[in-house]
């Protein structure tokens, strides 16, 4: 389901995603003086430990696994040294260690949900859980799950700690102005060609009879679950929410989670263990099971079904979009007026059909970064030309659309007035990088860190050796 989700990427790190297949890192139960005084060469030979960061250790084999995981995912490790890879691992360990010190909360249910999503994805691709267990050379599914849980928990702690650091960084208009003024004219960034796009959407009308069929089916699921059937299994088999299909419909939300209003209104009225009656949102019809209530947070599962529209409704919608296009071409009405009065898409209707770039929250789309499906629709359109009507289908819902290009911006050198949003983003990222660097300097000084063997000769970006 296309609820808004935020992905956090730490600016100064390599683009290296630590895989959930990595063996769980050992946690040192006690730090004793023997660990420090022990012969490094001997220790490295016995158990492969090459570094300690707080309560976490790094094994020499972890570096090899990181290289393998990146190449297995199709990434390139060209030019990345073992020292650089170790530096990335040390960063992750320090984040996770400090998250614990700062009492960053990572719930076990959250981790289990992530684990189920990833395991279900792998089972879909490999065919069975046995093949997944065999692929990762584990003796049983239980061992595989235990390993994944520990690794995912560490990754979640690390990402939450990194997010906490940069979330507290804000930037003022004056700082943006000073950032831009400090850039030498010859070094000003160049922004690629962009365009602004508008669309009109017509959705086939869903009859009450079609809606009732879905409502009755969801009521049937509710009755079966109340009789002992698994809600999670029903979600995996029947939900039309792609994310929910992988997780058994599991989500964890609070009142600030960017789910649609109707969904949250129903969810927060339910008691623990209660299943809702079927209800409608813009995505279709749902039922929700609240599994746990933790203060202002809910752990729930849900099933989404979308009514099937009749052929007659589809035909009627196609005729309507054709007529709208004809009226615009004949200049009976402007595109913006037609969007405001005739489009079925609430999100764009008020702005005359203007699309918002989800990455920048601006109306401009840079051509080289535009979604390929949208680019293919608009790349050959002339200014003010209206595309031919086309049909899109998403999660079983069919819609008809026409698109036009309302503005084109050629490739150009950064201009403070015209490109303020982009310049602000660059200035904020620079400030975040500085904040993260300062954080590392401070935490490295106050955290127990030990690097042994040949890795003491590495030229790290951060002062891991405390020289």
């Amino acid at each position: 389901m296309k609820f808004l989700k935020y992905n956090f990427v730490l600016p100064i790190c390599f683009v290296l995603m630590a895989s959930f297949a990595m063996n769980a890192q050992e946690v040192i139960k006690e730090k004793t003086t023997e660990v420090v005084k022990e012969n490094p060469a001997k220790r490295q030979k016995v158990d492969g430990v090459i570094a300690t960061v707080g309560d976490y250790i790094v094994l020499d084999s972890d570096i090899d696994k990181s290289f393998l995981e990146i190449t297995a995912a199709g990434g390139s490790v060209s030019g990345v040294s073992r020292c650089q890879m170790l530096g990335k691992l040390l960063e992750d360990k320090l984040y996770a260690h400090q998250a614990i010190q700062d009492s960053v909360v990572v719930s076990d249910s959250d981790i289990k949900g992530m684990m189920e999503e990833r395991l279900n994805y792998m089972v879909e691709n490999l065919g069975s859980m046995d093949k997944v267990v065999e692929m990762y050379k584990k003796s049983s599914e239980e061992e595989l799950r235990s390993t994944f849980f520990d690794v995912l928990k560490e990754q979640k702690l690390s990402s939450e700690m990194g997010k906490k650091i940069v979330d507290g960084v804000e930037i003022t208009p004056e700082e943006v102005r000073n950032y831009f003024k400090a850039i030498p004219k010859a070094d000003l960034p160049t922004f690629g060609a962009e365009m602004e796009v508008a669309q009109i959407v017509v959705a086939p009308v869903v009859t009450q009879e079609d809606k009732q069929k879905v409502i009755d089916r969801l009521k049937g699921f509710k009755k079966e679950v109340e009789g002992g059937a698994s809600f999670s299994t029903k979600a995996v088999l029947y939900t039309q929410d792609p994310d929910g299909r992988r997780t058994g419909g599991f989500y964890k939300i609070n009142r600030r989670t960017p789910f649609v209003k109707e969904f949250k209104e129903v969810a927060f009225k339910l008691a623990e263990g209660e299943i809702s009656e079927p209800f409608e949102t813009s995505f279709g019809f749902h039922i929700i099971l609240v599994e746990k209530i933790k203060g202002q947070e809910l752990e729930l599962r849900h099933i989404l079904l979308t009514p099937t529209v009749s052929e007659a409704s589809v035909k009627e919608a196609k005729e309507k979009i054709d007529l709208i296009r004809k009226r615009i071409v004949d200049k009976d009405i402007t595109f913006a007026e037609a969007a405001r009065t005739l489009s079925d898409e609430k999100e764009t209707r008020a702005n005359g059909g203007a699309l918002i770039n989800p990455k920048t929250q601006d109306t401009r789309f840079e051509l080289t970064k535009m979604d390929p499906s949208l680019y293919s629709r608009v790349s050959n359109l002339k200014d003010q030309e209206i595309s031919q009507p086309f049909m899109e289908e998403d999660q079983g819902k069919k819609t008809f659309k026409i698109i036009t290009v309302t503005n084109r911006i050629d490739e150009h050198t950064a201009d403070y007035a015209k490109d303020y949003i982009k310049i602000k983003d660059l200035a904020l990222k620079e400030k975040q990088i500085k904040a993260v660097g300062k954080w590392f300097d401070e935490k490295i000084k106050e955290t127990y860190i030990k690097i042994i063997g040949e890795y003491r000769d590495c030229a790290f970006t951060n002062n891991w050796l405390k020289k």
Side-chain angles (χ1 to χ4, degrees), residues 9 21 25 99 148 157 165 184 215 243 303 329 345 383 397 405 408 437 451:
V9 180
Q25 305 303 313
F148 274 24
L157 283 168
I165 298 167
I215 291 171
D243 291 336
I303 296 173
V329 171
E345 188 173 61
D383 289 345
K397 295 183 70 173
V405 176
R408 297 179 192 272
I451 299 173

Side-chain angles (χ1 to χ4, degrees), residues 102-147:
D102 289 0
S103 300
V104 173
V105 177
V106 174
S107 71
D108 287 354
S109 59
D110 249 3
I111 305 303
K112 288 177 182 177
M114 292 168 60
M115 180 171 67
E116 291 300 324
E117 179 179 355
R118 298 189 186 192
L119 285 175
N120 288 338
Y121 176 79
M122 286 189 288
V123 168
E124 283 182 14
N125 281 274
L126 295 178
S128 71
M129 180 61 76
D130 289 341
K131 289 183 179 179
V132 177
V133 172
E134 181 182 354
M135 178 178 177
Y136 291 106
K137 300 179 181 178
K138 302 300 177 185
S139 60
S140 64
E141 181 180 340
E142 183 180 357
E143 182 188 0
L144 178 69
R145 287 180 177 275
S146 177
T147 297

Side-chain angles (χ1 to χ4, degrees), residues 1 3 214 217-222 224-225 230-241 244-245 248-251 263 275-281 283-289 300-306:
M1 189 160 51
F3 297 127
V214 169
R217 194 176 187 199
L218 288 172
K219 285 183 175 180
F221 291 160
K222 177 182 177 180
E224 290 174 23
V225 172
S230 167
F231 194 104
S232 175
T233 300
K234 295 287 185 188
V236 169
L237 292 174
Y238 301 111
T239 189
Q240 290 175 280
D241 167 17
R245 193 178 301 125
F250 181 84
Y251 286 97
F263 188 96
I275 303 175
S276 74
E277 292 296 326
F279 65 96
E280 187 176 11
T281 73
F283 295 96
F285 287 84
H286 314 248
I287 53 173
I288 296 173
L289 164 64
L300 57 81
R301 294 184 186 274
H302 100 292
I303 296 173
L304 165 69
L305 293 182
T306 304

Side-chain angles (χ1 to χ4, degrees), residues 17-19 21-26 59-73 77 82 85 89 136 138 147 151:
M17 178 65 75
S19 167
M22 183 185 292
N23 288 332
Q25 305 303 313
E26 274 186 64
L59 306 179
D60 197 24
S61 58
D62 291 340
I63 297 177
D64 299 311
K65 290 171 187 172
S66 296
F67 278 114
L68 287 173
E69 286 154 8
I70 294 166
T71 54
V77 294
R82 292 184 71 82
M85 191 66 76
L89 292 174
Y136 291 106
K138 302 300 177 185
T147 297
V151 172

Side-chain angles (χ1 to χ4, degrees), residues 100-345:
I100 295 172
Q101 310 309 307
D102 289 0
S103 300
V104 173
V105 177
V106 174
S107 71
D108 287 354
S109 59
D110 249 3
I111 305 303
K112 288 177 182 177
M114 292 168 60
M115 180 171 67
E116 291 300 324
E117 179 179 355
R118 298 189 186 192
L119 285 175
N120 288 338
Y121 176 79
M122 286 189 288
V123 168
E124 283 182 14
N125 281 274
L126 295 178
S128 71
M129 180 61 76
D130 289 341
K131 289 183 179 179
V132 177
V133 172
E134 181 182 354
M135 178 178 177
Y136 291 106
K137 300 179 181 178
K138 302 300 177 185
S139 60
S140 64
E141 181 180 340
E142 183 180 357
E143 182 188 0
L144 178 69
R145 287 180 177 275
S146 177
T147 297
F148 274 24
F149 183 88
D150 291 341
V151 172
L152 287 172
K153 188 163 188 176
E154 184 184 319
Q155 289 180 4
K156 184 68 173 175
L157 283 168
S158 177
S159 66
E160 288 299 313
M161 189 67 242
K163 187 174 184 293
K164 181 181 176 182
I165 298 167
V166 299
D167 276 355
V169 179
E170 296 180 348
I171 195 160
T172 65
E174 184 64 25
E175 288 176 308
V176 177
R177 189 179 297 107
N178 291 336
Y179 167 82
F180 184 74
K181 286 181 178 178
I183 303 175
K185 194 170 183 178
D187 295 334
L188 286 172
T190 298
F191 296 126
E194 299 171 308
M195 62 172 57
E196 294 178 315
V197 180
Q199 70 180 18
I200 294 173
V201 180
V202 173
V205 175
V206 180
T207 66
Q208 191 56 45
E209 182 182 355
D210 293 330
K211 291 182 179 181
Q212 193 60 48
K213 288 179 183 178
V214 169
I215 291 171
D216 291 342
R217 194 176 187 199
L218 288 172
K219 285 183 175 180
F221 291 160
K222 177 182 177 180
K223 187 175 181 180
E224 290 174 23
V225 172
E226 290 174 338
S230 167
F231 194 104
S232 175
T233 300
K234 295 287 185 188
V236 169
L237 292 174
Y238 301 111
T239 189
Q240 290 175 280
D241 167 17
D243 291 336
R245 193 178 301 125
R246 291 192 291 269
T247 65
F250 181 84
Y251 286 97
K252 180 178 178 180
I253 70 170
N254 57 45
R255 294 188 183 277
R256 296 184 303 277
T257 304
F259 280 26
V260 289
K261 178 182 176 182
E262 299 88 344
F263 188 96
K264 289 194 288 186
E265 285 179 347
V266 172
F268 281 97
K269 289 179 181 177
L270 297 173
E272 195 168 287
E274 186 179 1
I275 303 175
S276 74
E277 292 296 326
F279 65 96
E280 187 176 11
T281 73
S282 57
F283 295 96
F285 287 84
H286 314 248
I287 53 173
I288 296 173
L289 164 64
V290 172
E291 293 189 332
K292 289 184 181 179
I293 300 176
K294 295 183 176 180
Q296 296 299 310
E297 292 186 329
L298 302 181
E299 293 177 9
L300 57 81
R301 294 184 186 274
H302 100 292
I303 296 173
L304 165 69
L305 293 182
T306 304
T308 302
V309 296
S310 66
E311 287 300 318
S313 292
V314 173
K315 182 180 179 182
E316 185 178 342
K318 175 64 168 62
E319 290 173 350
K320 181 178 178 181
I321 199 76
D322 285 337
L323 180 59
I324 291 172
R325 183 181 186 278
K326 184 176 187 304
R327 289 188 62 194
I328 297 171
V329 171
D330 291 346
K331 301 188 184 306
D332 290 341
I333 190 172
T334 68
F335 194 100
E337 290 170 340
R340 282 190 285 269
T341 58
L342 301 171
S343 180
D344 290 330
E345 188 173 61

